[in-house]
Amino acid sequence: MKRLLPSSVIAVLCLVQFVDVLGVTEVLTAAPRMLRSLGAGAGAASAVLTSYAMCFGGLLMVGARLGDRFGHRRVLLGGIALFAAGSLCAAVAGSAAVLIAGRCLQGAAAAISVPASLRLLIAATPDAAGRRAAMSAWSAAGATAGAGGFAVGGALTQLAGWRVMFWVNLPLAALIAAGVVRAVAPPHSPAIPAGPTATPPRDAPALGLDLPGGLLFSAGVAGLVLGASLLQPPSRAALGLAVVGAGAVLLGATAWVERRARDPLIPGQALHLPALRTGAGAAFLNTATTSSVAAVATLDLQRAQHLSAAGAGLRLLPLSVGAIVGSSLAAAVLRRVPGPRAIALGLSLIGAADAGLIGLHRAGWLMSVPIAAAGAGLGVSSVAANASGTDVGASVQAAAAGALNTAAQLGTALGVAAVLLLSAATDHAALPLRGPTLGWAGAALIALAGAAVIGRGRSRPAVSDQSSTALLPTRGRPARASR
């Protein structure tokens, strides 16, 4: 069978990223109608909204190592099949418990698929210019999906019912799987040059999966996300704090186990790479200060302004448009300023947009202006964060991919929980800012503080074997392809 061109390989793999990230936010707009149709109380809302991100973020590091162990193409196809199974479970759900189970399966599938598709994407683009373009497309797909999930979920729910969100994933999964089989070359195929991130030779020593560390890490992340979602209403605050504390303890135990593991989830040298730390921190801040703001805006538009799910989604559509524009401009920005400065620029724009929403959220379509600006900042910062975080050596690239996506999913889950908590806790307080406006103000301060901290950093090359320094196109340094 004739292989497709590398551009088609990139398109297929970016579609995997788009669909998996879309699943994080598309349910937020549809949640009220979903819960009503299933006869579920408000107490089920937190689990429905966070179950996907919880499993996605918690299992990403394990998913990254599965690709190293069994082959990224094989694992990607398995993840696509699991995503279809989770979507079917959610589509036929007759209760909130079954819906939550389906969402957990979808999240686990995304955790398997995303790191594998990113590694295959990097392997398919060994030259510097091609890899920069591929990373821009990848970042744009993720940023657009995360921002556009609100509009997609609202439109589908209004026009055809919330179950269609899950039914449509079945033919889509089949289409993506067919594209992977046709477009992505199997290991050792000459159709895709075997760069430093290609699947290891068959006689290479197999990497261990470090199941104890993986289980502890997944449980710790789940504790943080679930606990944060339980902090509201106040009657459950004590339980939420207890679950958050348990999650923190489990993450501490993970660090202890990982220091003694033969094949840790994150190699020790990766933790000391400034590029990875900067990229992961920025990935967390990007989603924490945009997904949370959009989630609160969705609820405000439907509850206080009485818009339909589709109407609320349309008001937030400029977030996706802005993300596409920002991602397309990011390469030009990165050619002129170092990576940390580009991240700071994007976060500053997000912070200003979050603050602008305070005065314009009741101004009809004028609220689209700060919403679009937040999307543009997200696009610029996401591309720069992914470029920085993957500018590491081949031996730690799987861990870097997992860490970046884990940080982004934790940012979504914890950011949404924190801003919703801040908004709800002050609904009746006698404060100049209360309800959603206080939540947006908090998100704005976090974004601006992150911009100030990251902007002080300097762009430094990764210090590891076969480093992909071409991913950060800094001025005065010639681009270099990976060896």
Side-chain angles (χ1 to χ4, degrees), residues 59-68 72 75 111-112 115-116:
L59 294 170
L60 266 165
M61 298 307 303
V62 176
R65 298 309 295 268
L66 285 173
D68 283 336
H72 300 292
V75 166
I112 293 171

Side-chain angles (χ1 to χ4, degrees), residues 15 18-19 22 80 83 167-177:
L15 184 58
F18 181 88
V19 171
L22 186 74
I80 294 169
F83 189 84
W167 283 119
V168 75
N169 287 335
L170 301 183
L172 189 56
L175 177 66
I176 293 173

Side-chain angles (χ1 to χ4, degrees), residues 290-355:
T290 53
S291 295
S292 60
V293 167
V296 172
T298 299
L299 297 176
D300 181 70
L301 288 168
Q302 293 187 64
R303 292 176 180 174
Q305 302 186 46
H306 309 294
L307 267 67
S308 64
L314 286 175
R315 290 287 176 89
L316 296 174
L317 186 59
L319 193 65
S320 301
V321 177
I324 295 172
V325 173
S327 298
S328 65
L329 295 175
V333 173
L334 284 168
R335 282 194 293 269
R336 290 167 173 79
V337 300
R341 297 280 181 86
I343 293 171
L345 175 63
L347 286 173
S348 297
L349 188 54
I350 290 172
D354 291 349

Side-chain angles (χ1 to χ4, degrees), residues 194-305:
T197 57
T199 302
R202 296 183 188 277
D203 56 355
L207 291 172
L209 292 181
D210 186 24
L211 286 180
L215 292 174
L216 282 172
F217 180 78
S218 301
V221 170
L224 289 181
V225 175
L226 182 60
S229 70
L230 292 174
L231 291 175
Q232 183 67 26
S235 60
R236 296 188 310 195
L239 175 61
L241 288 173
V243 176
V244 168
V249 170
L250 289 172
L251 289 177
T254 303
W256 186 85
V257 169
E258 289 293 283
R259 283 197 296 268
R260 291 157 178 79
R262 179 179 178 183
D263 293 303
L265 292 175
I266 303 180
Q269 66 268 31
L271 298 175
H272 301 290
L273 295 176
L276 179 55
R277 292 202 302 267
T278 298
F284 179 92
L285 291 171
N286 289 339
T287 55
T289 56
T290 53
S291 295
S292 60
V293 167
V296 172
T298 299
L299 297 176
D300 181 70
L301 288 168
Q302 293 187 64
R303 292 176 180 174
Q305 302 186 46

